[in-house]
Amino acid sequence: MTKIKVVHYINQFYAGIGGEEKADTKPHVAEELPPLSKQFDEKLGDDFEVVCTVVCGDTYYNENMEEAKSEILEAIKSYEPDFFIAGPAFNAGRYGVACGSIATAVKEELKIPSMTGMYPENPGVDMFGKSVYMIETKDSAAGMRKAIKAIVAFAQKYAKGEEIGSPKEEGYIPQGRRKN
């Protein structure tokens, strides 16, 4: 069986580049998978492979949204992925906006199933929560273990085209739709 190819998006912090002082980092593909992407690759199991990590600084993305999004989409497209994961962003506002924006663009423009994870009060939820699945996380990276576990469980179903249950059953933030 062919593995499901996954592209992962993270900010400068999770890529190990730096914090606010490196938030102007331009979009690029990491030379090797950062630790968070490696965790996703390991936990997703044998049916999946994280083929690359796309990185962009939070400030750079939010100050150059259209240009950054275009560059990131081109990088993602070049890997011909079957699935896309952004974040998780927790309650980091600029990171949440970037994750929601990119996940939505990947889904709508590249027609690739995509998802992210964030805290319900993140501004990215209000902006993009109706268009892309967002796994509910704690407000900070202290909840990373649980976030990874929840994102992986959802991704394994969603990427394989299995039926997605209710927000309560699956752990995603409600999208304002009811399913009979």
Side-chain angles (χ1 to χ4, degrees):
M1 180 180 152
T2 306
K3 290 187 178 207
I4 295 170
K5 295 190 302 184
V6 179
V7 169
H8 185 211
Y9 170 83
I10 55 177
N11 68 1
Q12 79 286 349
F13 178 76
Y14 289 107
I17 296 169
E20 280 302 310
E21 76 282 0
K22 295 292 185 179
D24 61 347
T25 299
K26 292 184 177 186
H28 66 278
V29 174
E31 290 182 24
E32 60 181 57
L33 294 182
L36 181 56
S37 299
K38 286 180 183 176
Q39 285 184 59
F40 277 119
D41 188 50
E42 182 182 298
K43 303 231 184 268
L44 282 165
D46 294 338
D47 294 344
F48 293 81
E49 179 184 7
V50 177
V51 294
C52 83
T53 303
V54 179
V55 178
C56 185
D58 292 334
T59 298
Y60 184 85
Y61 187 85
N62 282 273
E63 290 180 357
N64 305 281
M65 197 173 283
E66 291 308 313
E67 179 184 328
K69 183 169 35 173
S70 177
E71 288 179 51
I72 291 166
L73 287 176
E74 283 304 311
I76 293 167
K77 193 177 357 179
S78 72
Y79 283 85
E80 299 179 356
D82 304 301
F83 195 72
F84 178 78
I85 298 172
F90 301 101
N91 199 22
R94 291 175 302 151
Y95 189 26
V97 170
C99 287
S101 171
I102 295 163
T104 299
V106 167
K107 178 184 170 203
E108 293 175 357
E109 295 177 37
L110 302 182
K111 308 297 185 214
I112 297 168
S114 63
M115 64 177 294
T116 186
M118 60 185 80
Y119 186 64
E121 293 178 20
N122 188 308
V125 173
D126 288 340
M127 296 171 71
F128 303 102
K130 290 189 184 332
S131 54
V132 69
Y133 285 114
M134 296 180 172
I135 298 301
E136 186 172 336
T137 69
K138 299 282 186 191
D139 66 339
S140 74
M144 183 64 84
R145 279 197 182 113
K146 285 184 178 179
I148 290 171
K149 186 177 178 181
I151 289 169
V152 164
F154 187 85
Q156 288 169 331
K157 287 181 78 171
Y158 184 35
K160 292 178 181 178
E162 296 176 13
E163 186 174 339
I164 302 298
S166 71
K168 188 174 182 177
E169 294 169 327
E170 304 288 358
Y172 62 90
I173 296 171
Q175 297 179 306
R177 293 180 244 166
R178 289 193 183 249
K179 195 175 181 181
N180 288 337

